[in-house]
Amino acid sequence: MYNIVLFGPPGAGKGTQSEKLIEKYGLTHLSTGDLFRKHLGEGTALGELAKKYMNEGRLVPDEVVIGMVEEKISESKNTKGFIFDGFPRTTAQAKALDEMLEKHGMSISGMIALDVPEKELKERIKERGKTSGRVDDQDEEKINTRIKVYLEETLPVAAYYESQGKFTKINGVGSIEGIFNDISQVIDSY
Ligand code: AMP
């Protein structure tokens, strides 16, 4: 069983690589951004709550995110493992994830971080904004907020896994296939 945290700033390619990884390894994709967008689309109370944070590029409060992830993990019986994409984004979320997994007799195999320079991230997000329909992909100020939030609140999560000897950084610039091979090699070494 693999439980992988795919890590990186907005626009690093986590969603793209997750899709390929779930296919190759038969894992369950758990993207908190996708889950929130689903709630938004369905007009649930959770979606309503998350909306204002998402539209501004700020983080949804930890307890809301953690509750949603807990539900998804509990629902996913008999899985071969998870790819966590866009989660955990704070150290509190990382600690909560460890506790949740332990309750289910699981643990994190490792964190794989995609390294992409800021200039390239902004270009990729703007390009994605042309087709994604995401409010937070289309406005320069929101994109800047998301990158700032990543640097200030999310980057410490890497140190959390590094201190457990579970951190690997990968060059996130290059061909999708090349990056996928690099990630696969790390997973195969777990
Ligand atoms: P993403 O699709 O991962 O870029 O997430 C889109 C937005 O959803 C983020 O900018 C946050 O507002 C919210 N979000 C997604 N995942 C989390 C998380 N783990 N913690 C807090 N907010 C999140």
Side-chain angles (χ1 to χ4, degrees):
M1 169 176 266
Y2 298 119
N3 291 301
I4 293 146
V5 177
L6 195 57
F7 189 73
K14 302 186 293 293
T16 305
Q17 293 296 335
S18 290
E19 275 176 32
K20 295 173 72 66
L21 291 167
I22 55 172
E23 198 179 314
K24 176 165 181 181
Y25 294 96
L27 303 173
T28 302
H29 187 201
L30 202 161
S31 156
T32 42
D34 285 353
L35 288 174
F36 280 131
R37 279 184 288 277
K38 187 160 179 276
H39 277 279
L40 259 179
E42 290 169 355
T44 68
L46 184 64
E48 247 343 278
L49 193 159
K51 189 174 174 176
K52 64 174 191 294
Y53 297 98
M54 294 178 75
N55 285 349
E56 288 173 19
R58 291 188 297 132
L59 294 185
V60 178
D62 282 339
E63 60 276 16
V64 177
V65 186
I66 291 165
M68 185 175 72
V69 171
E70 183 127 49
E71 197 182 306
K72 176 83 182 170
I73 291 178
S74 300
E75 275 170 19
S76 310
K77 302 266 180 259
N78 303 322
T79 178
K80 286 187 182 166
F82 292 93
I83 298 262
F84 296 99
D85 163 5
F87 177 87
R89 259 177 157 99
T90 63
T91 310
Q93 291 179 16
K95 287 182 181 154
L97 177 60
D98 275 349
E99 285 165 21
M100 280 184 244
L101 290 177
E102 202 183 328
K103 256 201 322 208
H104 295 273
M106 302 185 278
S107 63
I108 290 294
S109 315
M111 167 186 268
I112 302 173
L114 296 172
D115 190 28
V116 178
E118 197 168 315
K119 188 164 171 283
E120 166 115 9
L121 294 174
K122 289 183 182 170
E123 284 163 11
R124 286 189 191 177
I125 297 172
K126 273 192 230 156
E127 192 57 35
R128 182 172 72 187
K130 291 180 187 165
T131 52
S132 70
R134 285 177 55 171
V135 183
D136 61 346
D137 278 348
Q138 287 166 17
D139 172 311
E140 184 99 32
E141 197 184 317
K142 285 170 189 165
I143 297 172
N144 287 338
T145 304
R146 286 162 68 201
I147 293 176
K148 186 165 175 273
V149 166
Y150 168 78
L151 293 172
E152 287 175 2
E153 301 182 51
T154 302
L155 206 50
V157 179
Y160 177 82
Y161 289 101
E162 202 160 16
S163 73
Q164 297 181 15
K166 291 183 174 178
F167 178 81
T168 310
K169 186 151 91 177
I170 284 206
N171 180 7
V173 181
S175 72
I176 291 176
E177 216 46 53
I179 297 166
F180 177 61
N181 286 338
D182 290 348
I183 298 175
S184 298
Q185 266 184 29
V186 176
I187 296 177
D188 293 339
S189 76
Y190 289 149

